[in-house]
Amino acid sequence: MCSRVYIVYLLLLIIIQIAIDDVDGDCSLSLLEDFSQPSPVFLKDGRTLAPNSDGAFLFRRSDTLLVACPGDRRHILLDNKTSGYSELEAHCIINDTFRVERWIGKFKSIKCNTQPWFTTEDTQDRCYGNHILYRVGYKLRNKFITLYQACFDDAVMATLYVTHELNPANKHLQPGQRPNFVEGNLFGKVRMSELYKVKKQAERLNNVLGANMSNIYLSKKQFLSRGHLAPRADFLLRAEQQASFHYVNTAPQWMLGNAGDWAALEEALRRRIQKLGRPVTVYTGTHKVMTLADTRGRMKPIYLDEDVNNNGVVPVPLYFYKVNI
Ligand SMILES: *[C@@H]1O[C@H](CO)[C@@H](O)[C@H](O)[C@H]1NC(C)=O
Ligand SMILES: *[C@@H]1O[C@H](CO)[C@@H](O)[C@H](O)[C@H]1NC(C)=O
Ligand SMILES: *[C@@H]1O[C@H](CO)[C@@H](O)[C@H](O)[C@H]1NC(C)=O
């Protein structure tokens, strides 16, 4: 009798074992339920964490993840308690349970004390027109995690193009609020956030085109907005979306276009890539300078500001384009 129970028990164990082996991973995370904020940067095998085609994040028990909260006075929180470290390894235990050093808990209890800090770095490469190619992302202890690259013309303070990878898994995004844009150190004394204030835009247009001309071009609905080049929604995890909010990833874009046709194009591209089923490299660029008629009907190029020699800086592009490879 006893041995029969034992055999049944053994069989049950084997069945459970088979059932477990059938599952693709020992740990499984859902984007909407298991990732919290402020979200750390997560790396697996040196790359940013990406879900499988079903949108699930699966791990084997032997898998380790690098958890990082880069930046000054940033550190990892475990159950709201500081670990004192800005980079640690997390190990899959089971389901949504992970181990970090001697702490064991839910994956969603791994957070940063505050948003990780992202930055630009000279790649030492040159791009179109012998301009500097910057990488933008997170500077970890031994590695720079590049989320996109920007070809930047520092004479006129304009980004010629940005490249990023668009992944078909980006069907769902980790939700969260839009942060402020970061100025970084590429724009010298120019305060980009000031230039975009509608009052400032009106002053500028009146200066260039003549008194009260801003009334013709600007309204509550139509003004120059911070047009994302690599779109926020092309990035899956919060820490990656955040990094898209750098002024090097923007160009002045009319609001009605930004929220209209351009947004529709971005959305259509994401759907296409999901269908395609493989990642593509997207170049998003700007070309030429938009002109507007002044009081006497002469066409004047529009820049949001000018330098000490009265040369325009931060041009309003005539064209925005995307090239996908
Ligand atoms: C951590 O803090 C958040 C927000 O204050 C709270 O909702 C959560 O329950 C806390 N978690 C733990 C494990 O104490
Ligand atoms: C892991 O998840 C499975 C499926 O949801 C569940 O049956 C099992 O009890 C969980 N294991 C642990 C240790 O929580
Ligand atoms: C501009 O508008 C203001 C206020 O409506 C008006 O007083 C002023 O005369 C206008 N200036 C010109 C040059 O039209």
Side-chain angles (χ1 to χ4, degrees), residues 307-325:
D307 65 15
V308 287
N309 303 317
N310 295 347
N311 294 317
V313 293
V314 192
V316 180
L318 177 59
Y319 298 114
F320 285 81
Y321 66 87
K322 278 184 186 288
V323 175
N324 313 302
I325 299 171

Side-chain angles (χ1 to χ4, degrees), residues 11-193:
L11 266 178
L12 209 61
L13 260 187
I14 288 167
I15 289 168
I16 287 173
Q17 193 56 48
I18 288 169
I20 287 174
D21 283 346
D22 244 17
V23 185
D24 281 327
D26 301 313
C27 290
S28 147
L29 300 175
S30 127
L31 183 63
L32 297 181
E33 277 156 36
D34 296 321
F35 289 81
S36 54
Q37 297 186 43
S39 161
V41 180
F42 295 109
L43 297 183
K44 192 176 161 212
D45 304 325
R47 294 174 57 87
T48 50
L49 203 53
N52 64 11
S53 52
D54 302 324
F57 297 82
L58 302 175
F59 307 89
R60 293 249 161 237
R61 198 153 302 154
S62 53
D63 282 345
T64 62
L65 273 180
L66 183 67
V67 181
C69 300
D72 243 18
R73 290 187 297 275
R74 265 75 168 174
H75 40 255
I76 298 165
L77 299 184
L78 302 167
D79 279 335
N80 294 342
K81 285 195 277 292
T82 182
S83 66
Y85 294 95
S86 62
E87 289 179 31
L88 284 172
E89 276 184 354
H91 305 263
C92 151
I93 304 272
I94 182 93
N95 294 355
D96 61 346
T97 300
F98 278 69
R99 178 178 68 76
V100 177
E101 310 262 272
R102 275 149 66 192
W103 174 90
I104 291 179
K106 299 282 182 214
F107 185 80
K108 71 173 166 210
S109 299
I110 307 174
K111 292 191 280 191
C112 295
N113 63 325
T114 176
Q115 298 301 346
W117 181 248
F118 56 89
T119 181
T120 56
E121 190 176 89
D122 187 342
T123 60
Q124 308 293 330
D125 278 340
R126 293 292 171 267
C127 51
Y128 182 79
N130 205 30
H131 295 303
I132 298 176
L133 187 65
Y134 288 94
R135 54 172 78 95
V136 188
Y138 291 102
K139 195 177 172 68
L140 306 192
R141 264 206 305 273
N142 301 317
K143 195 175 160 79
F144 194 96
I145 304 303
T146 302
L147 296 171
Y148 56 95
Q149 294 194 326
C151 180
F152 185 70
D153 179 345
D154 56 356
V156 294
M157 298 189 183
T159 300
L160 300 180
Y161 65 82
V162 160
T163 62
H164 74 288
E165 190 172 88
L166 179 50
N167 199 301
N170 293 13
K171 228 176 285 182
H172 308 287
L173 306 180
Q174 185 182 4
Q177 288 178 337
R178 291 173 77 88
N180 288 331
F181 279 86
V182 164
E183 306 254 349
N185 49 15
L186 300 185
F187 298 94
K189 289 209 178 82
V190 173
R191 292 264 69 85
M192 296 296 281
S193 58

Side-chain angles (χ1 to χ4, degrees), residues 159-268:
T159 300
L160 300 180
Y161 65 82
V162 160
T163 62
H164 74 288
E165 190 172 88
L166 179 50
N167 199 301
N170 293 13
K171 228 176 285 182
H172 308 287
L173 306 180
Q174 185 182 4
Q177 288 178 337
R178 291 173 77 88
N180 288 331
F181 279 86
V182 164
E183 306 254 349
N185 49 15
L186 300 185
F187 298 94
K189 289 209 178 82
V190 173
R191 292 264 69 85
M192 296 296 281
S193 58
E194 283 296 313
L195 297 190
Y196 276 100
K197 287 186 175 155
V198 176
K199 190 164 157 260
K200 188 84 180 158
Q201 293 178 27
E203 276 173 33
R204 180 72 192 155
L205 289 187
N206 292 338
N207 273 339
V208 175
L209 304 175
N212 294 347
M213 285 302 279
S214 64
N215 298 342
I216 297 178
Y217 297 113
L218 302 180
S219 71
K220 279 219 158 59
K221 285 186 184 157
Q222 185 66 303
F223 50 88
L224 291 161
S225 63
R226 300 157 176 84
H228 262 88
L229 296 173
R232 175 191 69 88
D234 281 13
F235 299 98
L236 186 84
L237 293 175
R238 216 39 217 160
E240 296 159 22
Q241 293 171 29
Q242 302 271 355
S244 74
F245 287 82
H246 191 294
Y247 278 105
V248 77
N249 187 35
T250 64
Q253 188 177 46
W254 290 107
M255 184 59 195
L256 292 177
N258 181 335
D261 291 345
W262 188 251
L265 172 75
E266 292 175 341
E267 186 56 39

